[in-house]
Amino acid sequence: MQFIHASAMTLTLLLGGSLASAQSGSQNQPHPQPGATWTVVLGGQVGQYTAKETDSDGDSVGTTTIGGRSIKSYVIHMNDQLRLQISETSGAWLCDVPATALQASTRDLTGQGTLSLRNQKTSSPVGDCRIYTRALPTRATVPWSAVTSNLEWELDTPEGVLAVRWPKLDQLGTWGKAPVGSLTASNASGQVLAFTDKSGLVVALMRGTNRADYRFCTVEQDGQSGPGFLTGRYVDTSTKGDPKELGTCALRPASSPLPVSVSGIPTWPLPISPNQVWEMGTPQGTFVGMVGTRKTSDGDFTGGWLGSQLGLLQINRFDVGTRDEGVLFLHQTDQDDLLACRVNQTVEFAAGIQRDQFAGPGILLDQKVKGDAISLKSGGKAEKIGECWVRRLVTPLVSEGLRF
């Protein structure tokens, strides 16, 4: 059964809302006029809602571009909340903003994200969501000349987002975890020295007072095409022996409105907590999911996947405390079909040799934890369908607003 186009009120009722709560009530709620574009952060991803028309209930009908797709959507005005509803045949993503946080002049809204599937009696919370009543600015490619002309940057690293300020190249500056605008000598975490060599830019971060403890973000001049940022390698030189590559770094001017998510280096056992964003790659597609605040009676985390197919997320630890301990990442469709990625600390390589996948250098290149993909059709038997991987995405979009 597909969603009925008759009205946003009808859709709300089909998803379990009440007639009383679905009335277009409060006049102080912001409303996107036809042609207007709003920005939404839902499930740890950024999308844009474009209003097409206002229906007979006074609600907005449009589309949301998110996760690489354009999906029919609605902005629904209720007495107790404003709802952005991104609707598909199998269900919907919802962002509900309580009425107490609404005013007609409000530009930044914070709400609760929810995933609702067609055949499920309950919905699954998927963390915080945000709505910005304006379009996301277009980000131009950062020219290489900005390396010398721009003195304030933000640096995405596997260890978090850093604020970086230097007077000019080859002169000591400061870095810290506070936004650049409030970075001072008192809250700086260390000194920074940026310089260029024959291949590109090197940003050296001195940690504390130990001059032997450095992190380097090395950015090559060739091959930079990302809109609004430069990418490089993040390296640790504080240990004896060869420098240890920690993953990817992304350098962007401090005025850039949208942080770039960078994967963290995974450790075992995998740390799992609410509001985390996970990416899962399987033979059936790649999905991005967000862990909600609700757990099952067995203590498993739940949430939702936003990918080529909507699905409920569940993360289950098994054989805890044994050599076979592992984690199961589950994707459940509205038809109760299950797709899973089962990961363990050890994986089987060539010739049947079991190796600790967290001990080798390979995981530092893409931050992917490898595993077995399993498919279970409703009413059928579980079967392996190939390899899979998961990795946690570290993105300040979950906890910080966009600056524009």
Side-chain angles (χ1 to χ4, degrees):
M1 178 172 63
Q2 294 186 349
F3 283 116
I4 301 171
H5 178 65
S7 71
M9 182 188 296
T10 304
L11 297 173
T12 300
L13 294 173
L14 289 173
L15 285 168
S18 67
L19 182 62
S21 66
Q23 299 292 334
S24 298
S26 179
Q27 297 300 311
N28 67 347
Q29 297 185 10
H31 179 78
Q33 298 297 326
T37 299
W38 286 7
T39 302
V40 57
V41 179
L42 182 59
Q45 299 183 74
V46 178
Q48 295 210 128
Y49 172 81
T50 302
K52 301 296 184 183
E53 61 179 340
T54 299
D55 67 14
S56 58
D57 295 321
D59 300 317
S60 176
V61 183
T63 58
T64 298
T65 303
I66 191 169
R69 294 179 297 155
S70 184
I71 309 171
K72 190 68 170 290
S73 303
Y74 306 83
V75 174
I76 304 172
H77 301 285
M78 306 180 185
N79 288 333
D80 60 345
Q81 64 187 12
L82 177 144
R83 166 175 290 177
L84 172 66
Q85 180 169 304
I86 304 175
S87 302
E88 297 193 56
T89 304
S90 58
W93 279 79
L94 311 175
C95 179
D96 291 334
V97 181
T100 54
L102 295 172
Q103 291 183 356
S105 60
T106 302
R107 294 170 60 84
D108 301 348
L109 310 173
T110 299
Q112 172 62 51
T114 306
L115 175 62
S116 178
L117 294 185
R118 271 296 184 180
N119 70 339
Q120 301 294 326
K121 295 182 179 179
T122 60
S123 300
S124 179
V126 288
D128 294 338
C129 60
R130 283 186 169 85
I131 297 174
Y132 303 86
T133 60
R134 54 208 186 279
L136 188 68
T138 301
R139 294 182 299 153
T141 300
V142 176
W144 190 253
S145 59
V147 167
T148 56
S149 62
N150 193 83
L151 307 178
E152 296 186 343
W153 299 81
E154 286 182 332
L155 182 64
D156 283 290
T157 78
E159 298 176 307
V161 181
L162 308 179
V164 179
R165 174 186 287 144
W166 56 73
K168 64 179 182 179
L169 293 181
D170 299 318
Q171 283 193 8
L172 285 174
T174 58
W175 69 270
K177 292 189 176 181
V180 172
S182 59
L183 182 59
T184 65
S186 61
N187 62 20
S189 300
Q191 291 183 310
V192 60
L193 180 66
F195 57 91
T196 55
D197 59 17
K198 61 181 179 180
S199 61
L201 173 71
V202 178
V203 180
L205 304 168
M206 188 177 74
R207 300 163 62 86
T209 59
N210 185 354
R211 295 186 178 276
D213 187 0
Y214 273 90
R215 298 288 194 272
F216 289 91
C217 178
T218 60
V219 181
E220 294 187 2
Q221 183 172 355
D222 294 338
Q224 297 292 339
S225 59
F229 60 94
L230 305 171
T231 59
R233 297 180 301 111
Y234 197 59
V235 179
D236 173 20
T237 63
S238 63
T239 58
K240 295 182 179 180
D242 295 333
K244 181 180 180 181
E245 186 164 327
L246 299 180
T248 307
C249 53
L251 192 68
R252 64 181 183 275
S255 59
S256 178
L258 178 59
V260 180
S261 61
V262 176
S263 300
I265 303 300
T267 58
W268 189 264
L270 296 179
I272 301 169
S273 61
N275 279 329
Q276 286 181 344
V277 181
W278 287 86
E279 188 178 22
M280 179 174 73
T282 75
Q284 295 185 5
T286 300
F287 304 88
V288 175
M290 191 166 184
V291 183
T293 56
R294 182 185 298 170
K295 289 187 178 182
T296 67
S297 58
D298 295 327
D300 300 333
F301 284 97
T302 62
W305 295 102
L306 179 63
S308 56
Q309 186 176 21
L310 289 183
L312 296 178
L313 174 151
Q314 186 167 322
I315 303 177
N316 166 257
R317 297 187 190 273
F318 60 89
D319 293 334
V320 177
T322 72
R323 60 180 298 177
D324 298 320
E325 179 177 344
V327 182
L328 199 62
F329 290 79
L330 290 164
H331 176 291
Q332 179 183 356
T333 72
D334 65 314
Q335 300 299 316
D336 288 331
D337 294 335
L338 290 177
L339 176 64
C341 184
R342 183 179 63 196
V343 300
N344 297 79
Q345 184 173 3
T346 59
V347 294
E348 185 174 300
F349 287 84
I353 300 174
Q354 290 284 335
R355 294 182 181 175
D356 183 351
Q357 64 172 318
F358 291 83
I363 204 167
L364 300 178
L365 300 179
D366 56 18
Q367 296 86 47
K368 293 178 180 177
V369 183
K370 310 301 192 299
D372 295 319
I374 302 171
S375 176
L376 175 60
K377 297 294 184 180
S378 179
K381 295 182 178 180
E383 59 175 335
K384 291 184 179 181
I385 58 173
E387 295 182 347
C388 62
W389 53 265
V390 296
R391 62 179 173 184
R392 188 165 71 90
L393 300 180
V394 180
T395 168
L397 293 179
V398 177
S399 58
E400 299 178 9
L402 303 180
R403 297 178 306 282
F404 64 98

